[in-house]
Each structure stands twice: as C-alpha cells, then as structure tokens.
Amino acid sequence: MKRYNPSQHAIDRANLRYGIATEKVADWVNEIMPKARYITTQPNKNAVYEVDGKRLIVDTARNIIVTIKPVADVNNFLKPIFERELRKHKRLTIRAIRALELEKAQLIVKLGERAVSKAKARSPKVQGSIQRYIDEIQARINACDRKIQQTQDQFENFKKAIAIWQD
C-alpha cells in the first residue's frame, strides 16, 4: 500500500478546514486515500482525487499531498445568483405587463368612446370612418394581448431554464 506524506500546506489546510490535529494528518490522509476516486491530472502533473466531499491534490512522483480542499459545489455557489436573476426577471416582467395592461385599458376607453360616437353618428360615411378607427384600436388591443402573453411565456421559459439547470 502506498504511503502519502502531506506537505506543510496540506497539514495546515486539513487542520483549518477539517479540524484534523497536526500530528494526525498523515495517518488521516493515508486512511482516506484508498477510498479516493481519481478525477484528473493537472497540467503540472499533479493528480486530483476526491473522497467524501474533499479534493486532494497529489504530487504522484513523490507521493506528497500538496493540498486538501472541499469540492466546489457549483449549484450552491450559483443558487443565489439564479435566485437573484429570477427575482429581477420577475420584477421586470411584472413592470412590463403592468405597462401593457395600462396601455390596453386606455385603448379600451378610446374604443368605448368611439363606439359611443359611432352610435350617435347618423351618416353611414361617418359611421364607416369611425368603424375603421375602432378596428385600428381593436388591432392595437390585440397586439397588447399578444405582447402580454409573450412576456408571460418568456418569464415561464426563464423559470424552466433555471429549474432545469438547478436539477
């Protein structure tokens, strides 16, 4: 069985990060190394091993543990960023939808005013002119509805993308 010797840096890190007494680090390292799983070799030829959420960097030429550190959990690191971006996107979505709903409400008021004008008009020519204006307003209302739906869909897609990434 190979015997590994920890460097002073590895001893300091084991003591600091995992509470291993300085004089027991060598035994502790040699106890966990048989269970460690090889991950990769770094460009400087040091091997990287993982065991129980710990990453050990090993100088394989000299059987020296260079350092010991926790495995970086990307999800825990990125989770606050994703949550912040989700809150930001939700705020922007709500703001955009409210603006579109306000625009739609103002158009509906105009539509109502034009409908009243059309009902009061006696001339078919004037009624036809007002109807064209009503049709334009209705087209703008429909465009607002489409924009609202698109904005909601974009937000839902954003939420799904974040949920998929976090799984």
Side-chain angles (χ1 to χ4, degrees):
M1 181 167 125
K2 277 188 185 179
R3 190 94 180 124
Y4 295 93
N5 295 313
S7 68
Q8 186 58 49
H9 178 77
I11 293 169
D12 294 343
R13 293 300 170 253
N15 188 277
L16 175 72
R17 293 177 177 150
Y18 303 106
I20 308 299
T22 305
E23 62 277 358
K24 297 190 184 229
V25 172
D27 293 334
W28 177 73
V29 164
N30 284 296
E31 186 179 305
I32 64 171
M33 274 307 288
K35 297 181 273 181
R37 180 173 53 98
Y38 172 78
I39 302 298
T40 188
T41 300
Q42 297 177 328
N44 62 4
K45 307 290 188 227
N46 287 343
V48 179
Y49 290 88
E50 278 186 18
V51 60
D52 301 330
K54 298 167 192 64
R55 187 164 279 182
L56 294 95
I57 311 300
V58 181
D59 178 349
T60 52
R62 300 181 298 157
N63 287 343
I64 293 177
I65 306 294
V66 178
T67 191
I68 304 165
K69 57 186 175 182
V71 174
D73 185 1
V74 176
N75 283 340
N76 285 342
F77 178 73
L78 293 177
K79 188 175 181 178
I81 296 169
F82 283 139
E83 287 172 351
R84 184 177 60 239
E85 286 301 312
L86 186 61
R87 287 191 308 271
K88 175 183 166 187
H89 205 287
K90 184 176 181 179
R91 248 188 346 266
L92 295 174
T93 299
I94 289 170
R95 190 176 300 153
I97 289 173
R98 283 184 182 158
L100 288 166
E101 287 175 341
L102 178 60
E103 181 182 347
K104 179 182 171 183
Q106 291 168 337
L107 288 169
I108 291 171
V109 169
K110 279 186 183 179
L111 183 73
E113 291 170 351
R114 296 300 173 242
V116 169
S117 296
K118 181 182 173 193
K120 288 182 180 179
R122 294 187 183 175
S123 165
K125 187 176 181 182
V126 171
Q127 285 178 343
S129 174
I130 293 172
Q131 184 59 48
R132 284 189 295 279
Y133 192 65
I134 287 173
D135 293 342
E136 287 176 23
I137 293 172
Q138 188 60 53
R140 289 171 56 196
I141 290 171
N142 293 340
C144 283
D145 285 336
R146 280 191 305 277
K147 288 178 186 173
I148 288 170
Q149 189 60 50
Q150 287 172 346
T151 304
Q152 289 171 335
D153 290 346
Q154 286 174 346
F155 180 66
E156 289 303 315
N157 289 338
F158 186 79
K159 281 180 18 182
K160 286 177 186 175
I162 286 179
I164 288 170
W165 203 93
Q166 287 181 334
D167 286 343

